[in-house]
Every structure is written in C-alpha cells, then in structure tokens.
Amino acid sequence: MLDVARLRVLVAVARKGSLTAAAKELHYSQPSISHHLARLEAETGAKLVQRVGRGIRLTEAGRLLADRAADIIGRIDATAEELAAHVGLREGRVRLAAFPSALGTFIPSAVRRLSAAHPGLRLELTETEPPEALRLLRAGRVDVAVMFRYDDTAPEDAGLHLIHLLDDPSYLVSAEPGGELADHANSPWIAGCDRCRSHLLDICAKAGFEPRISFTSDDIVAVQALVAAGMGLTVLPGLALSAHRNPDVEATQVPGSTRHVYAAVYGEPPHPPATGALLEALGASLPPARESR
C-alpha cells in the first residue's frame, strides 16, 4: 500500500519543482525528502524523478502518480474536515467555488443564511468558471461547486452529483433595441468565457450565421461598456445582467437559449452535514424566475 506521507512529498515536489522548495513547504529536511522519494520508488517499482543538471524533474510515471496523488490527498483532507465538523456544525469549514455572476447575485444571500444558522461554520469562497470549479471539486479542494452548463455543453464526468438550482435565460445585449440574432449577422460580436463562447457560436449557427468575434472578455462590466460604445453585440445570461446592468444597453431575451445552474458535489447523498447546510442555504436564496426584458 502506498504511504500517504510519501505521496504528499511527491505532490509537493511536483508543485514546487525542487527538493529544496518542497522541503521548505513541508518543514522537512532535504535528505528526508530524498529518502521519502526513494522509498516511494521502492514501493511502486517505478522511477519517479530524474536528475537534470543540478535540479530534478518528474518522469512520466512520476507525473502520473503526482496527479493521482493530488486527487487522493485532496479527498483525504476533505474527509478529515467533514469529520471534524460533523457534530452540531459548531466548528469546521465548508468550501464553495462559484462563477462570478452567481457570486454577484444569490450567493451572498446564501452566505448570510448559512452564517446565521451555523455561526461557527467557516465558509471559504473561490471565484472561478465551471471547468476549474469542477476540477477543484474532484481534487477535494472545494466541497460544493456552483456551475452552469448549456444544453450543448459536453456531459460532466461521472462521480459528480448535480443539484439543479435555476434556469437562467440568455439576452441579446446591444446599444439599440436588439431584434433577433439573425438581424446582426454582419455585426461585430463580443465573446466571454470558453463555455459561453461555445454557446454563442452554437446559437448563432442555429440562426444561420457565424459571428465575427472582435473582442473577448469575461468581465461583464467591460463587455457592457464596449456594447454601449457601439463596439459590438453580445449575449449575456440574466444573472450577469442582474449583477451589473449598464444603463446604456438594451437587453432582449433570446428564445430557446438558457443556461442551467447547478450545485455540484462529489458523490451521491447523504452529504456531509456542512455540505448539506450549504446546499440548503443555496436552495433558499435563489432569485425569482425572470420575465422577458
């Protein structure tokens, strides 16, 4: 059986890129780091590191094991936190990753509810887009990932449990009254994150044209300012417009274009108490369904 302490050493070496830096992070001596790596190589029967000049680098086997070990250690640490917070939720932490417009709309209300119900529970927030949020969830570095997907988004990995929170309609955002997507086939367009960009390409293709993307930005404030200045059009979800609405833009709902917002957790219920408390707070804090703008 692989030794968890030695796996931590390998992960630290992979992350830091040197024995010296890994030793400093783990508060080990450098000879102790070398000893743990040698023992791990003996346990696995694989060459994990190799000398390169005065430094080292991981072999292909070393990189593979380090990647797997990072996930394993993340799950172990997350389980330890869950057990520590199990009784009464009087202490401990719960970690949430979410995309920006969720953090700018309903999540603050959920945080307030969670703090009121469980004042001893510490909440840690990370702002990130869905692919990275799900990677953090799989690695055990967050407990809940609030993410979104479109109907045309590739399926998520097995092992993740998705709890539907809301459906978020899309809006054509323009400097003048918008009309339909096809009315702007020859106009410049502004795209957002990779998942949003893919959706923009998909709905424009269904409208019969390929958008000419002139700018790309994840910043909804900057995007709307560019639209207001006549630099192009974009498609934004309702949560983004609720988080920030430039008074000089028009928003027209795009029929049949909706993103689905979920709370993703690792594994099926029952969930750990701290995770369950966060999910309950999220469910009680959702905005009302939107009408067409």
Side-chain angles (χ1 to χ4, degrees), residues 89 108-123 277-278 281:
L89 295 177
S109 176
V111 171
R112 185 167 56 250
R113 288 175 183 273
L114 185 66
S115 297
H118 307 287
L121 186 62
R122 186 174 81 257
L123 175 66
L278 176 56

Side-chain angles (χ1 to χ4, degrees), residues 59-76:
T59 64
E60 184 176 351
R63 288 192 300 272
L64 174 63
L65 182 57
D67 289 343
R68 298 294 185 269
D71 289 348
I72 292 167
I73 290 168
R75 301 309 305 169
I76 290 173

Side-chain angles (χ1 to χ4, degrees), residues 74-75 78 82 94-98 124-126 128 132-146 264-266 275:
R75 301 309 305 169
E82 291 163 4
V94 63
R95 300 160 299 172
L96 171 66
E124 296 180 3
L125 291 174
T126 299
T128 189
E132 175 64 10
L134 294 177
R135 189 189 71 79
L136 293 174
L137 181 64
R138 285 191 295 269
R141 294 172 61 187
V142 300
D143 305 297
V144 179
V146 173
V265 294
Y266 196 89
T275 300

Side-chain angles (χ1 to χ4, degrees), residues 209-275:
F209 70 98
E210 180 178 349
R212 174 167 56 87
I213 296 175
S214 299
F215 300 98
T216 298
S217 175
D218 294 339
D219 187 333
I220 58 175
V221 177
V223 166
Q224 291 183 57
L226 289 170
V227 171
M231 303 301 292
L233 300 91
T234 194
V235 171
L236 290 176
L239 283 179
L241 291 170
S242 294
H244 170 76
R245 176 68 181 270
N246 188 308
D248 296 325
V249 301
E250 299 285 339
T252 305
Q253 188 168 348
V254 180
S257 175
T258 301
R259 71 176 183 177
H260 312 291
V261 179
Y262 297 92
V265 294
Y266 196 89
E268 298 290 328
H271 304 299
T275 300

Side-chain angles (χ1 to χ4, degrees), residues 184-187 189 200-201 204-213:
H184 304 282
N186 298 318
S187 300
W189 288 81
L200 174 64
L201 294 173
C204 288
K206 291 177 180 176
F209 70 98
E210 180 178 349
R212 174 167 56 87
I213 296 175

Side-chain angles (χ1 to χ4, degrees), residues 71-103:
D71 289 348
I72 292 167
I73 290 168
R75 301 309 305 169
I76 290 173
D77 290 346
T79 300
E81 289 283 348
E82 291 163 4
L83 289 173
H86 194 280
V87 179
L89 295 177
R90 291 189 295 271
E91 59 183 17
R93 69 174 180 179
V94 63
R95 300 160 299 172
L96 171 66
F99 56 93
S101 58
L103 285 171

